[in-house]
DNA sequence: GAGAGTTTTGTTAGCGCTAACAATACCGTG
DNA sequence: CACGGTATTGTTAGCGCTAACAAAACTCTC
């Protein structure tokens, strides 16, 4: 006979299901957890009872006894950038596919303290792993220093030597962009870099610089922006009067479009007078005025790959045993140059 | 004397802290939960022990006994749109401020089944409330129909009569844009709408249409896009040869920029030949070619307001007692017209 | 059809915490 | 200094579940 509780309005518990199905609660648990040692007929009865009561196992009770929260955490940033939200989506998909819940902690600042707070917040939640969509060298360093038993990966820039993670080969992307511009016949290529402290910015700048050096071209001073269209606009105002500037590689698309805008205002045509190449391939890049040549990164894939790495690490904790200097697995995703109308041969 | 466990490498538990501080575990619990009836000196001893052991309360155990998960859920969508990620960020901030964890469930499709799956997923996690960043009328209807004891709010479009939520007054924004264009001297205003099924799209279209009707202007057939720059581009190709088209109101900025691009390709100047106004005010809107006039919405504020509503609902469950047709609280955020260079008086 | 092996099911304990109550310590008063 | 009241601390039970073991119910063999 069913327990008294079963009729009440409260959430049904396992005992209610057991009573309705005429079995012990342990048998219900076995059905729920896919134990093979349950008679098919019994399983059916239990499943029917579960449906009847619309029973849902209590996650907290389960987590308490199994010591597994089945939750992963993501640390992300306030950002109007296109990339992070795409990566988050990729991560969410992968987490769901693997049967994990996903909890997020976003940061206003990428400083050490905010990062620690976010990690603490997720640890309080007993997440089994953390994916970090971070990019500031300082933030990454803070993470690497924070001793934690929770597996962690980074998603975004490839940062070999610190934490494992999935990253785009930013340097290769930058090289491809610069090489292409030089091949078009430009004497050299100017650069609008991202903020100093960002790994992506550094890698893209390094790729730009090395390509010029390899080909023995003059290396103009690079300008630093903050990823925003506004900062690209400002950078252009500083460079626009230099007649030797015929090609610019901007560290992201938003700065590139701001750059283009300023050139336009000052009467320098794109691409006839100046070629501009961006980075990211935001969805609207092909519909800007003019359509923007850029380097495409597959952010969704990045998120999925990063999460794959994290899951692996959760499953085989020993793979991290090597420690901080060990072989951190880094999944490198190759970027792809997309040529559109904002770049061309120099017009002379 | 400390329990045997305390020396082991495992996570410390409350009993370990109690042993170290020389009190009962209940006193530790009291300190943790801010009970006033603890002697200051005792509290200090306990806090010291907590720090020494780096103790963190077990969320699962807590949730099990209190029946509160201290977790909220967000349902969001795969989207390259600027709005959703901003709203998510606003929500996260507000949730953190209120001491809640935030769990996300994203959807590939906005169909009924996906929506139900997402809700189930969050319910499995025992979230105390759900914020939905949704916009499809069908998805919203599915939500409203899904009987759940979990409080729910929507964030994004104002949808009075169904679920409570925070929304932008899209119709007012559209009216402002159209009124402005008419005031500039345009005979009428064309419209590129968002997808049929989206509430924002409907509201903006309604605002556009009514404003024209109020002023007894001809109402051109509107074109439907999918929010993407590409669809704006295509819409423009269909309209570009109509010489009577001198002003266009696009339902979002991405379509607007695609629209501008197509006009440019076909040799129609913006704003001299055609004025274009968008909606959203994406951060780069001011740096497009030409800078885009648009209607600004404060997505972050929207997220915060929505979450505020949700928290209220969690605290006072009765406020929803009115049922589906009752007084749903809707926080309306007013949008703001931003005039830039993509719009002007008709040039004739 | 008895015995050994294999499924299938049931019973018990306990995960780490808070709620409820019980017990003590402390306070000022008459 | 005994007393009632209050502030502080301790004890016990149980949240809903799974793990470990125990018991029962089937097999199959000879």
């Amino acid at each position: 006979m069913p327990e008294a509780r079963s009729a009440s309005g409260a959430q049904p518990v396992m005992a209610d299901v057991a009573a309705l199905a005429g079995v012990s609660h342990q048998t219900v648990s076995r059905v729920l957890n896919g134990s093979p040692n349950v008679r098919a007929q019994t399983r059916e009865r239990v499943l029917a009872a579960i449906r009847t009561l619309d029973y849902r196992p209590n996650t907290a009770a389960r987590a308490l006894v199994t010591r597994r929260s089945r939750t992963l955490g993501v640390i992300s940033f306030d950002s109007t950038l296109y990339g992070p939200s795409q990566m988050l989506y990729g991560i969410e998909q992968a987490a769901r596919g693997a049967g994990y819940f996903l909890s997020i902690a976003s940061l206003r600042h990428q400083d050490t303290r905010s990062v620690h707070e976010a990690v603490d917040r997720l640890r309080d939640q007993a997440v089994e792993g953390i994916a970090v969509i971070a990019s500031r060298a300082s933030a990454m360093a803070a993470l690497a220093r924070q001793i934690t038993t929770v597996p962690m990966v980074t998603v975004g820039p490839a940062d070999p030597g610190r934490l494992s993670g999935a990253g785009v080969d930013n340097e290769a992307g930058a090289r491809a962009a610069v090489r292409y511009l030089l091949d078009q016949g430009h004497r050299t290529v100017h650069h609008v870099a991202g903020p100093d402290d960002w790994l992506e910015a550094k890698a893209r700048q390094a790729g730009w610089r090395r390509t010029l050096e390899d080909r023995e071209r003059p290396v103009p001073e690079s300008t630093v922006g903050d990823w925003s269209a506004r900062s690209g606009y400002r950078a252009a105002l500083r460079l626009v009067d230099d007649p030797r500037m015929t090609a610019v590689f901007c560290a992201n698309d938003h700065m590139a479009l701001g750059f283009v805008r300023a050139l336009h205002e000052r009467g320098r045509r794109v691409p006839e007078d100046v070629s501009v190449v961006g980075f990211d391939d935001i969805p609207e890049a092909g519909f800007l005025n003019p359509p923007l040549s850029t380097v495409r990164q597959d952010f969704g894939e990045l998120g999925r790959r990063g999460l794959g790495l994290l899951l692996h690490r959760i499953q085989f904790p020993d793979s991290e045993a090597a420690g901080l200097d060990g072989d951190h697995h880094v999944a490198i995703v190759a970027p792809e140059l997309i040529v559109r109308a904002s770049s061309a041969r120099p017009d002379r």
Side-chain angles (χ1 to χ4, degrees), chain A residues 80-113:
Chain A
T80 60
L81 300 177
Y82 167 66
S85 65
Q86 291 299 301
M87 293 192 255
L88 180 60
Y89 181 68
I91 289 170
E92 204 278 340
Q93 272 191 306
R96 175 173 12 150
Y100 278 89
F101 299 122
L102 194 68
S103 188
I104 69 169
S106 69
L107 265 54
R108 185 177 281 287
H109 308 290
Q110 290 210 45
D111 58 16
T112 305
R113 200 171 125 227

Side-chain angles (χ1 to χ4, degrees), chain A residues 2 14 42 45 50 53 61 151 154 158 173 222 241 267 273-274 302 315:
Chain A
M14 196 173 267
T42 310
R45 276 216 317 281
I50 288 174
L53 298 175
T154 62
S222 64
D241 295 325
D273 300 328
V274 181
L302 216 51
Q315 207 176 350

Side-chain angles (χ1 to χ4, degrees), chain A residues 28-61:
Chain A
V28 177
S29 171
R30 276 191 269 260
V31 169
L32 246 28
N33 294 295
S35 158
N37 294 331
V38 177
R39 206 145 39 107
Q41 186 194 336
T42 310
R43 184 188 315 277
E44 280 315 314
R45 276 216 317 281
V46 170
L47 289 174
I50 288 174
R51 277 193 299 272
T52 304
L53 298 175
D54 188 27
Y55 166 75
R56 309 167 172 266
N58 180 314
T59 352

